[in-house]
Amino acid sequence: KGDGTAAINNSANASSITDNGTGDYTLAFTNSFGNITYVVGGNSAGMTNADSFIICGLGDASVYRTSSNIRFQVRYAPSNSAQDRNYVNTMFVGDLA
């Protein structure tokens, strides 16, 4: 849940989420990955429209991604602006430590 108070609705290996500002979150993992080369995917949507939104990392991978957490933004593709969305879906694939 990305609008209002950010919250984890369903999780597999997600322990907490921090709201860093509009459309900007840090997700902590319950069990760390073995390294920072895990795959990141995601999408988001509002309650009433299907505009183009993307999930993206911030800056250099070594800055926004560790084996125990990841910082990411939800951005509206046409204007490249960070926005809070009702639904933020993320997926991570990699070897656990």
Side-chain angles (χ1 to χ4, degrees):
K1 179 179 178 308
D3 63 338
T5 301
I8 299 171
N9 291 328
N10 293 302
S11 73
N13 200 32
S15 63
S16 66
I17 189 163
T18 302
D19 189 340
N20 302 308
T22 302
D24 186 347
Y25 310 96
T26 299
L27 182 69
F29 303 123
T30 303
N31 298 295
S32 295
F33 284 95
N35 53 55
I36 65 167
T37 60
Y38 52 88
V39 177
V40 179
N43 65 17
S44 70
M47 294 295 287
T48 59
N49 72 39
D51 291 330
S52 298
F53 284 83
I54 57 172
I55 307 294
C56 63
L58 299 173
D60 186 301
S62 64
V63 174
Y64 74 86
R65 183 190 301 211
T66 72
S67 59
S68 60
N69 66 60
I70 185 168
R71 184 170 178 179
F72 66 92
Q73 287 188 340
V74 177
R75 301 188 75 79
Y76 180 55
S79 65
N80 195 30
S81 60
Q83 296 186 16
D84 288 340
R85 300 300 288 168
N86 300 86
Y87 299 104
V88 177
N89 306 300
T90 57
M91 172 183 71
F92 308 96
V93 180
D95 293 328
L96 296 178

